[in-house]
Amino acid sequence: QVQLVESGGGSVQAGGSLRLSCAASGYTYSSYCMGWFRQAPGKEREGVAAIDSDGSTSYADSVKGRFTISKDNAKNTLYLQMNSLKPEDTAMYYCAADRRPIKWWLLLHGTKYNYWGQGTQVTVSS
């Protein structure tokens, strides 16, 4: 059974940094597409960053140049390094995975992912 467990969220001031982690188990980690999504209160879920099985990445325009997605196949862990955080980055952040190939232009579409973690809260104060 696929399990995804996020950690690393917290409260930080604007301009600060956080690194989120997503520990994965129950599947062949390296062959999956994985992504980070977020949802703020009253807003729709949005794709933040994603990485496919070949290591190709995709980012939302709002985080390009500030966030970096990476994965450590040996540790079965996905990361999201978030720098220069802004108050508008405040949200619950979710890790997602799917074993099927996802076209690169669809990597940030949450409907393409079958497995989701419980989320970790990120709060950025001004």
Side-chain angles (χ1 to χ4, degrees):
Q1 184 169 345
V2 176
Q3 286 191 323
L4 303 173
V5 179
E6 302 97 333
S7 62
S11 297
V12 65
Q13 288 194 325
S17 299
L18 285 173
R19 188 176 80 157
L20 306 183
S21 299
C22 173
S25 62
Y27 65 97
T28 305
Y29 176 79
S30 61
S31 65
Y32 276 53
C33 294
M34 300 194 72
W36 288 99
F37 295 78
R38 67 186 181 188
Q39 188 166 21
K43 294 187 176 181
E44 293 188 354
R45 182 182 63 195
E46 63 171 338
V48 175
I51 186 167
D52 69 13
S53 58
D54 294 329
S56 297
T57 58
S58 181
Y59 293 92
D61 288 343
S62 58
V63 306
K64 282 181 181 177
R66 300 189 298 122
F67 291 11
T68 302
I69 189 171
S70 62
K71 60 179 182 175
D72 186 330
N73 290 338
K75 295 182 178 180
N76 284 5
T77 302
L78 180 74
Y79 301 101
L80 184 68
Q81 178 66 44
M82 305 186 295
N83 298 328
S84 302
L85 282 161
K86 304 176 181 180
E88 50 263 44
D89 294 319
T90 296
M92 184 71 78
Y93 283 71
Y94 298 92
C95 171
D98 201 278
R99 63 184 296 273
R100 301 164 297 177
I102 300 174
K103 301 293 186 183
W104 67 266
W105 61 88
L106 296 175
L107 280 171
L108 295 181
H109 287 237
T111 56
K112 296 300 180 181
Y113 294 83
N114 271 325
Y115 304 106
W116 293 82
Q118 295 300 306
T120 185
Q121 178 68 37
V122 172
T123 303
V124 185
S125 58
S126 57

